[in-house]
Amino acid sequence: MKGRFITFEGVEGSGKSTNIAWAADYLRSAGIEVLQTHEPGRTKIGEELRTVLLRTRDERLMPMTELFLMFASRMQLLEEVIIPALIRGTWVLCDRYVDSSIAYQGGGRALGVERVKTLIRAMGDRYAEPDLTVLLDIPPIVIPDRLADRPLDRFESEETSFFERIRQTYLELAAEEPRIEVIDATLPLKSIQEQIAVLLDVLVNESSNE
Ligand code: Z5A
């Protein structure tokens, strides 16, 4: 793969959409071709799955159903969009990826981290390992303020303990995985983006030396 693969993770309202758009502009201004995408969704099939996953309804979506639908959307996005872009040499910035399944379904829904890692291994040669994952860390108490001006989806309507488990799982994963860089996302955006720029500069310099 000639392109670089960078993922952004964190609980809702941690600033992923805001900072991924900023990072895409930052890389483009360095002359890099960038594709910005998100999970779940983005492909036609993925957007249908996203509707099933996010809509609040009177029938419970079982945690294992949720897990498999996240992976179904992911495989469609990888095969249709991400892998072809990386092969072309385009850098891909993705808002959420496998670490979201580990944190939300493994931790939040208590399905277990190992069960989710088994599914990641089952992706085999269709799994693209991120070169860098930016984990925007906020305590769940900050979430309601960040989401105050929009209607809540099925995940956002969960109680605080759900987001505490997610945050804890993310932080444990970050302690194990050197590709994951944790940034305190309660800081002002300018400070967060200065830290992201340092991380991106490392990848840009590495790839220009290849
Ligand atoms: N999900 C899952 O369970 N398992 C999986 O494997 C995957 C996903 C892939 C997708 O939601 C849902 O799917 C998600 C997890 C689950 N749960 N939910 N909900 P989504 O795609 O609709 O949304 P999201 O990924 O959770 O992102 P978000 O809610 O849009 O938040 P965000 O992108 O992280 O934040 P933002 O929109 O950039 O910022 C929110 C507000 O905060 C906005 O007004 C900003 O201006 C403000 N903000 C951001 N940063 C700051 C700082 N530093 N200071 C002050 N204000 C700030």
Side-chain angles (χ1 to χ4, degrees), residues 131-204:
D131 296 288
L132 167 68
T133 297
V134 177
L135 173 55
L136 296 167
D137 179 49
I138 55 168
I141 198 161
V142 177
I143 299 175
D145 275 355
R146 295 274 179 100
L147 303 184
D149 57 352
R150 57 169 116 151
L152 300 186
D153 64 31
R154 197 173 60 82
F155 286 95
E156 290 160 353
S157 312
E158 291 286 344
E159 56 199 31
T160 309
S161 59
F162 176 68
F163 297 105
E164 293 287 5
R165 288 195 297 279
I166 291 165
R167 181 189 190 204
Q168 191 55 36
T169 310
Y170 266 137
L171 292 174
E172 284 167 12
L173 193 59
E176 287 169 16
E177 294 269 0
R179 73 175 156 82
I180 304 180
E181 297 283 351
V182 185
I183 294 182
D184 176 354
T186 62
L187 294 171
L189 279 173
K190 187 170 182 298
S191 159
I192 292 169
Q193 288 164 359
E194 281 168 2
Q195 294 178 63
I196 295 173
V198 171
L199 299 171
L200 295 179
D201 287 347
V202 172
L203 285 185
V204 172

Side-chain angles (χ1 to χ4, degrees), residues 60-69 105 109-111:
R60 183 168 174 240
L61 188 70
M62 296 302 164
M64 285 297 285
T65 312
E66 186 178 276
L67 176 66
F68 283 122
L69 290 181
Q105 282 67 53
R109 300 284 188 223
L111 289 176

Side-chain angles (χ1 to χ4, degrees), residues 12-13 15-18 50 74 96 101 105 150 187:
E12 22 282 279
K16 296 181 307 319
S17 316
T18 307
R50 179 182 174 90
R74 174 166 304 132
R96 300 194 177 282
S101 298
Q105 282 67 53
R150 57 169 116 151
L187 294 171

